[in-house]
């Protein structure tokens, strides 16, 4: 088969996948809450009972990864151990226990014309998800799709293809058990990269794309997509220690925000300290950072107070380290802190540590980030911590959904008008 | 000057406009409600007092339009008469009287970790608006930008350029009078078409584009934009007369939905009638349509009952006429009606006329349109009628904003976290 025919075949297969997803989305939008919950509970049961077929498929991926010389942590991320399966099964049960977002009617008001106008929450339709590595994302995406009444088309990483295919069979069986269409959750069965290019340019079949992976992948998909993309770019998060502050509390929070885990996007990468507290705060937090092996890159005033700090370059202020490194700057006012965050930040998550109420309120209102916090660790910016039950991703955009995206982010609000024969005059 | 230099100049000027808008947006996001309302009331006053400068500018556009041989209705749309100015001034006052959407905090809940999590409504930032013809849109866009705490960059039609420039001076003066930045509302001063191409590809300065105009313009902008677009495409709206119905009420509604005005996007273009009511309903509505000169294009069963109806082609079911023409089809069930709307409709506005409660609820839930109605005229799908105060546009998309877009559609929700020293464990 030559390349042209092969692309034709792929296009035909993606078109057929898309059309099936669109049909399934119509059925899912009208599906009773009980059927959706039944599918989720059936999926949880099937994951716990997951037998030899799943283990065999997973072993294929793990063996291939080992043979390809992947590092041990990468190989471990592929493994569907009983513990991993129990965790994702529990996730399905938690989502089943949540209220159904679909059909919620809000804000109904009588208008002078006599009509009542409100809004009803409805599924977006079909979402496409592109992700790498861990096969449990397949189940997280599937369970959020089912509960939110959407259909989805999943494209996992090639390194997990056998596991993902086996998991998608479990999802299909669970949907069928609840009388819902198997095509509500479809996995792209080929690892051909051209399939991604097709998936992101089918606005007739796909309403939104959610990529999860490296920044390069997300930027490329955003650039080439012909449908909206819920995207997550940098998490260059700040903690600002204000002039009036509970120093002991601030030490605990900044330590946690930076060092509790270095790799998450909501870890703090930059510390701003008001000049009035620099002398009291910086040497003490520096002691903690030195003990934990966190490299400090500071402005001149920071270096004067913290001998262990190396000079920060201009590039440091804009850098998401995802590592035991932090940039530190002394500022002279709340305004300077907010201006710095506005200029160098990534609009992800930023926190003020203060006992001053007006300053707390100004920070909350004026800092233009997806999550703004007072006296709490930036590490809380997370769908589970926010009570969303699960998250399909985190948005660094302002449009549609911002910050952690859960079930509501997979829905939109349509207008409903209830009349008794009213006409426009 | 050669073309390359000219494009360089335009790029420099648009970049400077964009940067100024971004700076102004930061100020507007933090602006007190009182200042924003003061600017709106000052604008209303200045519009009412609008003196010779505005009249002279408007006369230039009107004279040019007459000289160019534009038809009388087109010329009339350009005229800023005292009545038109009074209407837009009143619009500004109405928006001033509305609650400030910015800063609204909703859904704050305590989490098991101890933090309180909620959402705060904030401005989107900078919106770009591209529109044609009527200069009063300049004031509508400016007033919505001011109240919603956004900055905007406006690009009106070349035929209204002198009027728009004069109006933008009034807006700037009103902003300055309230201590707000003039750059919160900027009008692109050139009629060079390349400016639009630049405006829609500056994601660093512009957060969303709202085009208002013909379908061709909107499709082109959506295709070429590098920022989200709130777009309005077809309005192929349906009325479905159910098997159980108050026929007298249905006659009044269908008449109104089709004939009250032919040109709006929310006028009904297609009528579906359940077979059980076809014999009772169709001859009577046909009598009304014939009297008003509305051409009927029907299916075979319609033609059998309505001799005046001509045959509908397949293309008719998908056509937005915006004219005294209606397509008519007899269906055998609610399911058939909803499937027809799903296949041929444009997801804009669709209404069911019924006395059957389960059918009303199914229609509301299952018809995937921006506005779904029970026993009311499709003509109600409008920002003023919905109580939004004014509308910046109507969205036929599902993402972000759907249907009439008012102040809320120019905002998004960020997460706010209120802690007392909590850390992640």
């Amino acid at each position: 088969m030559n390349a042209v025919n092969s692309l034709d075949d792929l296009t035909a297969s993606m078109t057929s996948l898309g059309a099936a997803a669109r049909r399934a989305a119509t059925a899912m939008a009208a599906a009773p809450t009980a059927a959706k919950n039944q599918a989720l509970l059936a999926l949880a049961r099937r994951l716990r009972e997951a037998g030899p077929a799943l283990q065999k498929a997973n072993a294929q991926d793990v063996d291939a990864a080992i043979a390809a010389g992947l590092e041990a942590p990468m190989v471990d991320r592929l493994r569907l151990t009983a513990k991993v399966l129990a965790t994702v099964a529990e996730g399905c049960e938690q989502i089943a226990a949540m209220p159904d977002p679909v059909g919620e009617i809000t804000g109904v008001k009588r208008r002078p014309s006599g009509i009542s106008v409100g809004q009803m929450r409805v599924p977006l339709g079909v979402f496409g998800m592109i992700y790498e590595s861990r096969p449990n994302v397949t189940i997280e995406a599937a369970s959020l799709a089912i509960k939110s009444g959407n259909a989805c088309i999943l494209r996992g990483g090639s390194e997990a293809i056998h596991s993902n295919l086996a998991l998608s069979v479990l999802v299909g069986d669970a949907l069928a058990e609840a009388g819902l269409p198997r095509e509500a959750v479809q996995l792209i069965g080929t690892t051909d990269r051209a399939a991604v290019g097709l998936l992101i340019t089918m606005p007739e079949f796909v309403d939104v794309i959610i990529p999860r992976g490296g920044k390069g992948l997300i930027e490329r998909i955003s650039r080439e997509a012909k449908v909206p993309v819920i995207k997550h770019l940098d998490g260059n998060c700040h903690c600002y220690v204000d002039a009036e502050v509970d120093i002991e509390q601030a030490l605990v929070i900044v330590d946690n925000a930076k060092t509790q885990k270095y790799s998450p996007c909501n870890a703090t990468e930059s510390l701003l300290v008001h000049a009035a507290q620099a002398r009291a705060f910086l040497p003490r937090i520096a002691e903690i950072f030195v003990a934990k092996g966190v490299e400090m890159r500071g402005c001149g005033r920071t270096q004067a107070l913290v001998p262990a700090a190396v000079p920060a370059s201009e590039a440091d202020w804009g850098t998401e380290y995802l590592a035991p490194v932090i940039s530190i700057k002394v500022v002279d006012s709340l305004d300077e802190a907010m201006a710095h965050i506005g200029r160098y930040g990534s609009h992800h998550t930023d926190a003020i540590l203060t006992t001053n109420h007006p300053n707390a309120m100004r920070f909350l209102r004026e800092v233009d980030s997806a999550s703004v916090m007072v006296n709490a660790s930036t590490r809380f910016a997370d769908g589970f911590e926010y009570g969303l039950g699960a998250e399909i991703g985190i948005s660094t955009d302002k449009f549609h959904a911002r910050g952690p995206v859960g079930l509501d982010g997979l829905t939109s609000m349509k207008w409903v008008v209830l009349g008794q024969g009213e006409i426009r005059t």
Side-chain angles (χ1 to χ4, degrees), chain A:
Chain A
M1 195 194 299
N2 64 36
V4 172
N5 278 348
S6 151
L7 183 60
D8 280 353
D9 287 350
L10 185 62
T11 305
S13 121
M14 289 299 292
T15 302
S16 139
L17 207 76
R22 184 58 82 205
R23 282 192 302 274
T26 302
M28 290 301 287
T33 304
K36 297 191 290 186
N37 290 343
Q38 189 191 342
L40 289 165
L41 296 177
L43 178 55
R45 194 191 71 237
R46 286 167 187 273
L47 285 164
R48 286 212 175 81
E49 295 170 359
L54 184 59
Q55 292 311 328
K56 199 174 146 194
N58 187 232
Q60 274 186 273
D61 291 333
V62 171
D63 292 349
I66 293 170
L70 257 67
E71 290 181 31
M74 291 297 287
V75 174
D76 284 343
R77 293 177 74 185
L78 284 175
R79 285 185 209 276
L80 288 173
T81 62
K83 196 181 156 204
V84 167
L85 290 172
T87 304
V88 289
E90 206 180 308
C92 292
E93 287 160 351
Q94 283 171 3
I95 293 174
M98 294 184 71
D100 191 338
V102 175
E104 179 195 12
I105 298 182
T106 48
V108 178
K109 292 193 173 66
R110 293 281 290 275
R111 299 290 307 151
S113 61
I115 59 172
S116 293
V117 181
Q119 288 186 294
M120 184 191 284
R121 193 176 289 283
V122 289
L124 281 177
V126 177
F127 69 87
M129 181 133 177
I130 299 157
Y131 53 103
E132 295 167 341
S133 200
R134 291 183 305 130
N136 36 334
V137 175
T138 303
I139 300 300
E140 289 170 21
S143 57
L144 285 167
I146 293 169
K147 186 76 182 207
S148 62
N150 287 285
C152 66
I153 301 175
L154 306 178
R155 161 65 183 224
S158 55
E159 69 286 356
I161 182 72
H162 299 100
S163 311
N164 286 336
L165 283 167
L167 288 169
S168 75
V169 170
L170 296 187
V171 175
D173 290 347
L175 284 161
E177 185 180 327
L180 296 173
R182 284 181 176 274
E183 295 74 19
V185 179
Q186 296 178 98
L187 183 83
I188 297 178
T190 168
T191 56
D192 187 340
R193 277 170 169 264
V196 173
L198 293 168
L199 178 65
I200 66 178
T201 52
M202 307 195 299
E204 65 279 30
F205 299 131
V206 177
D207 297 293
V208 57
I209 291 285
I210 306 167
R212 270 168 71 167
K215 196 179 170 184
L217 170 82
I218 293 171
E219 282 179 338
R220 186 167 55 79
I221 285 172
S222 303
R223 208 166 42 238
E224 294 170 9
K226 300 284 178 210
V227 295
V229 176
I230 295 181
K231 59 172 169 292
H232 176 266
L233 297 171
D234 292 324
N236 180 17
C237 306
H238 295 74
C239 281
Y240 164 58
V241 178
D242 199 18
E244 297 170 34
V245 68
D246 176 335
I247 290 229
E248 302 305 323
Q249 190 182 81
L251 285 166
V252 172
I253 290 174
V254 173
D255 176 18
N256 181 265
K258 179 68 229 176
T259 74
Q260 195 250 345
K261 220 172 177 183
Y262 296 113
S263 59
C265 56
N266 55 19
T268 285
E269 305 289 12
S270 198
L271 168 65
L272 306 176
V273 181
H274 193 284
Q277 293 294 348
R279 194 170 298 274
F281 184 79
L282 279 176
R284 291 189 60 193
I285 193 74
E287 202 179 328
I288 295 170
F289 285 157
V290 167
K292 295 193 176 179
V294 175
E295 178 185 338
M296 291 170 280
R297 302 186 186 171
C299 66
R301 293 155 88 183
T302 299
Q303 287 182 272
L305 292 165
V306 178
V310 300
S313 70
E314 175 72 10
D316 276 305
W317 308 124
T319 299
E320 180 186 24
Y321 301 114
L322 303 176
V325 184
I326 190 166
S327 64
I328 308 179
K329 187 178 167 65
V330 176
V331 296
D332 287 311
S333 65
L334 170 63
D335 283 295
E336 189 186 342
M338 294 196 299
H340 181 96
I341 293 169
R343 178 164 176 198
Y344 296 104
S346 64
H347 309 288
H348 190 293
T349 300
D350 299 291
I352 185 173
L353 314 181
T354 189
T355 56
N356 182 292
H357 182 68
N359 285 4
M361 295 313 289
R362 276 198 64 201
F363 191 93
L364 281 182
R365 178 157 174 175
E366 296 179 32
V367 171
D368 181 27
S369 297
S371 290
V372 284
M373 303 187 170
V374 177
N375 297 334
S377 168
T378 55
R379 291 276 293 111
F380 280 113
D382 172 281
F384 289 97
E385 294 294 339
Y386 283 4
L388 307 184
E391 70 185 26
I392 194 85
I394 295 186
S395 167
T396 49
D397 277 330
K398 290 181 177 184
F399 210 64
H400 183 70
R402 218 170 162 184
V405 179
L407 292 169
D408 281 2
L410 295 172
T411 65
S412 71
M413 303 297 273
K414 69 181 180 188
W415 294 95
V416 292
V417 173
L418 302 170
Q420 302 86 31
E422 285 79 5
I423 58 171
R424 187 92 180 264
T425 49

